[in-house]
Amino acid sequence: MTRDRAAAISATGVTVDVGDTTARYLLYGLLPSWSVPGLADRVMHRRTRIEDTSGTKESLIHALMMTEVGIPIALTLRYEVNPLLLSVQSGGAAVHEATALWDVRTAVHSEREVKPIEQHIHSFLESPPFAALAALMCLHSDQVKSLARGGGSDPGAWRLVPRRPQLSRGCLAGIAAAIGTCVLLPHGEELLRCGRAARARRKQARDEATWQAGADEAAWSAGKGD
C-alpha cells in the first residue's frame, strides 16, 4: 500500500480493531465452519459402514480427538489467554495431530476403505487447531513472550483467569447448541450404531458357539449309542 493510499484511508477516520476483527473471525468464522468437514467425515464413515469394519475402536478414537480440541476451546471461551492457556492449546493441537495419525492407521488397517476424498476431508479437520493457535499467538504476542520466559514475574501466568469481558450467555448458548447439533449428536449416533453392531456380532458368536456345542454333544451321544 502506498503512503498516499494509507493517508487517504487515515483521512476518512475509519479505524479497524485488528484484535477484535480476528477474535470475531475465530468465533464466528473458523469455529462454525469447522463443523462442515466434520459432518462430511461422518457421511464418509456411514458410507463405508464403520460399524461393520473398524467399529467402536475407531469411533472412540474420534471421541478422544474431539475431547483433545474441545477442552482448549471451552477454556478459551471462558478464560484469558496466558502462558497456561497457550500451553493447553499447543498441547491439545499436538496431541490431536498424533491421534489423527492413529485414527487413520486404525481405519486403513481395518476392513474400512478410506477413500482419497475422506483423506482430503481430514486435512480440513486437522488445520483449524493450528490456524486458531497461530491467530491467538499473534493477538497475544506478549503472552507468547511470557511463556518463553516461563511466565516471568506474572502471578497470573499459570492460573486460569476469567475473561474480561465475558462472552454473553446467548453467545455461549449458541456455540453450545451448534456444537451439540453438528458435532455431538452425529458422533453420538455413530458411536451408538457401532455399539449395537458390536453387540449383535457378540450375540451371533455366542449363538453359533451354543449351536456348535449342541451339535458336538449330539454327535458324541450318537457315537456312544452306536
Side-chain angles (χ1 to χ4, degrees):
M1 181 183 293
T2 64
R3 288 186 177 181
D4 291 340
R5 178 59 177 162
I9 292 175
S10 177
T12 63
V14 177
T15 59
V16 177
D17 187 330
V18 176
D20 182 64
T21 301
T22 305
R24 288 178 180 275
Y25 161 70
L26 291 173
L27 191 59
Y28 302 115
L30 184 64
L31 187 58
S33 64
W34 199 357
S35 64
V36 176
L39 291 172
D41 198 38
R42 295 292 175 272
V43 172
M44 296 304 300
H45 297 166
R46 178 177 282 276
R47 289 181 61 182
T48 53
R49 299 191 62 79
I50 186 174
E51 67 272 18
D52 296 324
T53 51
S54 54
T56 306
K57 179 180 179 180
E58 187 184 358
S59 192
L60 287 173
I61 293 175
H62 298 158
L64 176 60
M65 293 170 66
M66 286 187 288
T67 303
E68 291 164 352
V69 296
I71 291 176
I73 289 174
L75 292 176
T76 305
L77 291 174
R78 299 291 295 178
Y79 299 99
E80 295 285 355
V81 175
N82 62 5
L84 173 60
L85 197 50
L86 285 173
S87 299
V88 173
Q89 293 162 345
S90 301
V95 174
H96 178 267
E97 185 65 19
T99 309
L101 178 60
W102 179 27
D103 172 44
V104 175
R105 286 176 60 87
T106 299
V108 298
H109 290 163
S110 71
E111 297 177 0
R112 190 168 81 81
E113 180 183 6
V114 182
K115 298 181 179 180
I117 187 172
E118 183 177 344
Q119 293 278 26
H120 196 56
I121 290 171
H122 288 168
S123 67
F124 287 97
L125 286 170
E126 294 173 35
S127 301
F130 295 101
L133 179 61
L136 287 172
M137 284 182 167
C138 290
L139 283 177
H140 302 279
S141 58
D142 58 327
Q143 298 301 319
V144 175
K145 294 177 182 177
S146 179
L147 174 61
R149 295 193 298 267
S153 59
D154 182 5
W158 298 105
R159 64 183 180 87
L160 293 175
V161 180
R163 285 175 60 102
R164 293 290 183 269
Q166 287 281 339
L167 295 175
S168 68
R169 292 183 179 181
C171 178
L172 293 175
I175 293 172
I179 292 174
T181 302
C182 300
V183 179
L184 298 181
L185 284 179
H187 180 69
E189 186 276 333
E190 175 188 290
L191 190 57
L192 287 174
R193 189 160 26 93
C194 290
R196 286 196 298 266
R199 288 192 296 271
R201 286 192 295 270
R202 288 195 295 268
K203 183 178 183 302
Q204 181 180 2
R206 287 195 301 268
D207 291 344
E208 290 177 353
T210 300
W211 180 87
Q212 186 62 50
D216 291 344
E217 183 178 354
W220 180 81
S221 298
K224 184 178 180 181
D226 291 344

